[in-house]
Amino acid sequence: MMMIEITNIIHITIIKLNFMQNLLLRLFGHKPKTTVLKPTTKFKTTLPNNKLSLQEWVKEFNVGMMYDRKIIYMG
């Protein structure tokens, strides 16, 4: 009895899925084939000569972190 119920549920689900697919196909038509676009530009990153060290950056921007619900400033 249980197997028949599961089979009926699967059958009804497949019918609903087919109906939805047909409805979407009639509303929107076929999905166009998509192509992968490749980037045409190349980016180059350069570092400045006067780059700050980590310690200088922390002091200048007043960076901190939270540890054990307490704020600790690194600078």
Side-chain angles (χ1 to χ4, degrees):
M1 187 71 173
M2 178 86 163
M3 188 65 169
I4 294 172
E5 291 174 3
I6 293 174
T7 306
N8 287 340
I9 292 172
I10 292 173
H11 184 68
I12 291 170
T13 305
I14 291 173
I15 290 173
K16 287 180 181 179
L17 180 64
N18 286 338
F19 174 76
M20 289 301 295
Q21 285 177 343
N22 287 334
L23 181 65
L24 291 173
L25 182 63
R26 287 178 187 247
L27 288 175
F28 301 109
H30 289 284
K31 181 179 176 184
K33 199 171 199 176
T34 57
T35 58
V36 178
L37 298 176
K38 295 181 181 179
T40 55
T41 58
K42 294 182 180 180
F43 296 98
K44 185 176 180 182
T45 303
T46 58
L47 295 175
N49 294 333
N50 57 351
K51 180 181 174 184
L52 297 175
S53 68
L54 178 62
Q55 289 81 13
E56 293 170 341
W57 187 84
V58 166
K59 285 180 184 177
E60 184 173 339
F61 295 103
N62 197 18
V63 176
M65 64 179 198
M66 185 174 272
Y67 176 75
D68 196 26
R69 298 183 186 232
K70 297 175 185 171
I71 297 175
I72 301 172
Y73 289 102
M74 299 170 70

